[in-house]
Amino acid sequence: MLFFNKIIYFYYREYKLNLSGFQDILTNIIFFFLSIFIFIFSIGPDKETISNIGLGIVWTLLLLSSTLSLRKFYQDDFESGNLLILHLNGFSFGFIAILKTLSHFFFVQVPFLISLPIASILLNIASDKLIYLFSSFAIGSLILSCLGSISSSMNLMNQKNFLLGSVIVMMLSIPVIIFSVGVINFEENFNSLINILFGILLIVFAINPWAGGLCLKLSLENS
Amino acid sequence: MILVKELSVERSNKKIFENINLSLGSGKIVLLKGKNGSGKTTLLKTIINIIEPSSGSIYWKGKPLKKNLYDYYNHITYIGDKTTSLRQLSVKENINIWKKIFLSKTSKSQIKNILKTMRLDRYLNQKVNELSFGETKKLELLRLILEDKKIWILDEPLSNLDEETIDILAQTFQDHRSKEGSIIFSSHQNSEIGVSEEIRL
């Protein structure tokens, strides 16, 4: 019970931190919508073309926008020594990786999830496809958070090259995008594709505490 | 309680320190002394099991540290060279978060008294990034009281503190010692703190 309280207060701390850094979340959302506008203006007024490639645009931009937030995933806690203090207070490195991943999902990805209906109106995505977009994004974004956790923890060991982490996330996100867009475009295969996405989620969710935790430990050892 | 036997650490084929022996029992204060780069921080980080030693061993309550790690962590407070307070939050918010995450039993009046002694009470609603480095350091030292653990492992706790705060800290060390607590801290400066043992690196 006491440890459960610690987890609750860990999220209280994350909430406070995200609230004070709300401009970062807002910048991500603004980047997302501005990029949609840029796509619309560069494609032209053809509604059908926008509608056809709209889902691809949404997914690409979601990936790019969530990559923007990766730098802060562990960096602040690492530099301030909070990672170490959390570890010394009963949070294993693997568990910290899980908690931070879920925090990233709640505070970075969920705002995107909420803004999806507006994005779908802008990109002329049919309203009946919205439910598929929601379900694929709910799973896909958690996968992106897990991949983000792994790559950000790797970045702590190689602070000179932040782009390396982003490249890793983008490379590993390709299957996520293939199956997520597939979920929406091939509705008849919805169940099988969503199961594949869920399978990918389980794999990365299992790897994350192990790989992320190890990288956190090594980065603290070498700091 | 903590026993360090012939501890050596090497990094990139360079010896940081070798064959360090120390024991930290109840009521003992150990000072690690040495110049910058002599390996004081590395030794403290090895003692808290963040850095792997190249040889030697550490024991906690008679057992190898790794076999008893979580019990060990339940008994130590580590204050490193970084300030862990969240800079974008106020002093009060930081204390509240610490109290909750450390499951601290320290009473409000006790915290109020310490803040007053350290002259931090007037900054309670101020954000940490508005405080001076010395004041941030004082806030960091408040963790010793909030965590309320038996063993304090401190990296350069005296740096950036004024004489008055050093005196308060010295008194706090003695109070902790009288409660059977033990302290290991590093410093490159001379201080009036009465120590039981001094190890030169």
Side-chain angles (χ1 to χ4, degrees):
Chain A
M1 191 62 197
L2 285 178
F3 192 69
F4 188 67
N5 281 348
K6 275 191 178 189
I7 295 170
I8 290 173
Y9 293 124
F10 174 87
Y11 281 109
Y12 171 73
R13 169 187 175 278
E14 290 288 306
Y15 160 74
K16 281 279 185 188
L17 273 178
N18 280 288
L19 200 68
S20 68
F22 185 68
Q23 66 273 23
D24 292 334
I25 298 170
L26 203 64
T27 311
N28 280 350
I29 301 285
I30 290 171
F31 173 83
F32 176 60
F33 280 107
L34 275 181
S35 309
I36 288 177
F37 283 123
I38 288 168
F39 265 106
I40 292 171
F41 290 132
S42 57
I43 290 164
D46 185 4
K47 271 188 173 179
E48 206 176 322
T49 315
I50 293 174
S51 177
N52 284 340
I53 60 169
L55 291 170
I57 293 174
V58 168
W59 260 104
T60 311
L61 293 178
L62 286 173
L63 173 61
L64 291 176
S65 311
S66 61
T67 310
L68 280 181
S69 61
L70 288 185
R71 195 181 188 107
K72 287 211 149 193
F73 207 113
Y74 290 117
Q75 194 72 30
D76 289 352
D77 282 338
F78 175 74
E79 280 173 0
S80 65
N82 272 294
L83 274 183
L84 180 57
I85 297 308
L86 286 171
H87 177 62
L88 297 180
N89 276 282
F91 294 87
S92 68
F93 289 120
F95 196 60
I96 293 174
I98 295 174
L99 293 178
K100 289 292 279 185
T101 303
L102 293 177
S103 159
H104 183 262
F105 175 74
F106 287 127
F107 296 110
V108 177
Q109 308 283 26
V110 169
F112 284 123
L113 200 68
I114 294 166
S115 61
L116 275 184
I118 304 166
S120 64
I121 291 169
L122 292 173
L123 289 164
N124 202 27
I125 297 169
S127 56
D128 57 327
K129 286 193 172 181
L130 204 57
I131 183 73
Y132 300 114
L133 185 61
F134 261 121
S135 43
S136 69
F137 183 68
I139 300 176
S141 56
L142 195 50
I143 298 175
L144 293 183
S145 292
C146 289
L147 294 175
S149 160
I150 297 169
S151 73
S152 308
S153 57
M154 281 178 181
N155 264 337
L156 295 179
M157 293 190 294
N158 176 26
Q159 301 214 17
K160 286 177 192 158
N161 191 357
F162 169 70
L163 281 177
L164 188 70
S166 308
V167 170
I168 292 169
V169 171
M170 285 195 184
M171 215 164 58
L172 295 173
S173 307
I174 293 170
V176 183
I177 292 200
I178 291 172
F179 291 113
S180 301
V181 175
V183 166
I184 305 152
N185 284 336
F186 305 101
E187 290 156 25
E188 64 276 16
N189 292 332
F190 175 78
N191 281 340
S192 52
L193 288 169
I194 212 88
N195 282 342
I196 292 174
L197 264 184
F198 198 67
I200 297 174
L201 172 63
L202 291 181
I203 292 170
V204 289
F205 202 79
I207 294 173
N208 175 32
W210 178 76
L214 185 67
C215 291
L216 291 181
K217 185 181 186 310
L218 289 175
S219 54
L220 277 176
E221 194 174 325
N222 294 318
S223 67
Chain B
M1 288 192 278
I2 300 177
L3 185 65
V4 172
K5 269 188 178 173
E6 294 177 357
L7 202 70
S8 304
V9 170
E10 253 179 54
R11 282 178 136 180
S12 315
N13 292 327
K14 190 187 157 204
K15 273 183 186 159
I16 308 290
F17 55 80
E18 57 184 334
N19 295 328
I20 296 288
N21 293 293
L22 74 89
S23 74
L24 190 68
S26 301
K28 200 171 170 186
I29 299 179
V30 175
L31 166 64
L32 301 178
K33 230 171 170 197
K35 292 175 191 164
N36 292 334
S38 58
K40 301 186 294 290
T41 302
T42 308
L43 176 57
L44 292 177
K45 282 189 175 175
T46 313
I47 291 174
I48 59 168
N49 194 48
I50 290 298
I51 292 177
E52 287 286 327
S54 41
S55 66
S57 32
I58 304 169
Y59 297 90
W60 164 246
K61 290 182 179 171
K63 289 182 190 167
L65 188 61
K66 286 199 180 209
K67 289 187 177 168
N68 212 359
L69 199 59
Y70 281 93
D71 179 61
Y72 176 60
Y73 282 165
N74 281 334
H75 288 83
I76 63 163
T77 292
Y78 173 75
I79 293 186
D81 48 353
K82 293 168 181 169
T83 49
T84 57
S85 47
L86 304 170
R87 300 186 64 77
Q88 53 275 64
L89 302 185
S90 70
V91 171
K92 195 177 178 180
E93 282 173 318
N94 267 289
I95 292 172
N96 281 339
I97 289 174
W98 278 341
K99 260 196 86 171
K100 285 161 183 172
I101 288 204
F102 303 145
L103 303 173
S104 172
K105 288 175 186 149
T106 316
S107 68
K108 271 186 183 175
S109 60
Q110 217 177 333
I111 295 171
K112 210 172 164 185
N113 282 340
I114 298 158
L115 286 171
K116 206 170 178 182
T117 318
M118 287 185 149
R119 293 177 198 272
L120 281 174
D121 51 338
R122 58 192 137 158
Y123 304 118
L124 214 54
N125 294 314
Q126 221 161 311
K127 287 192 174 171
V128 173
N129 57 17
E130 291 165 6
L131 302 183
S132 72
F133 193 74
E135 284 154 354
T136 319
K137 181 99 189 194
K138 283 194 228 173
L139 179 63
E140 191 67 26
L141 291 169
L142 188 70
R143 276 208 292 120
L144 294 174
I145 309 298
L146 289 175
E147 290 196 38
D148 193 23
K149 291 182 180 171
K150 277 275 175 209
I151 298 169
W152 296 351
I153 300 175
L154 316 171
D155 191 6
E156 297 283 355
L158 308 177
S159 63
N160 296 303
L161 293 180
D162 52 38
E163 274 179 30
E164 189 189 358
T165 315
I166 291 177
D167 288 344
I168 296 169
L169 192 64
Q171 187 54 51
T172 313
F173 277 17
Q174 298 311 326
D175 291 347
H176 188 61
R177 173 157 53 184
S178 64
K179 288 180 208 158
E180 302 282 282
S182 32
I183 304 164
I184 176 164
F185 73 103
S186 67
S187 180
H188 62 268
Q189 60 196 81
N190 293 318
S191 70
E192 298 297 312
I193 294 176
V195 296
S196 328
E197 191 184 344
E198 194 174 302
I199 295 173
R200 287 208 163 258
L201 286 170

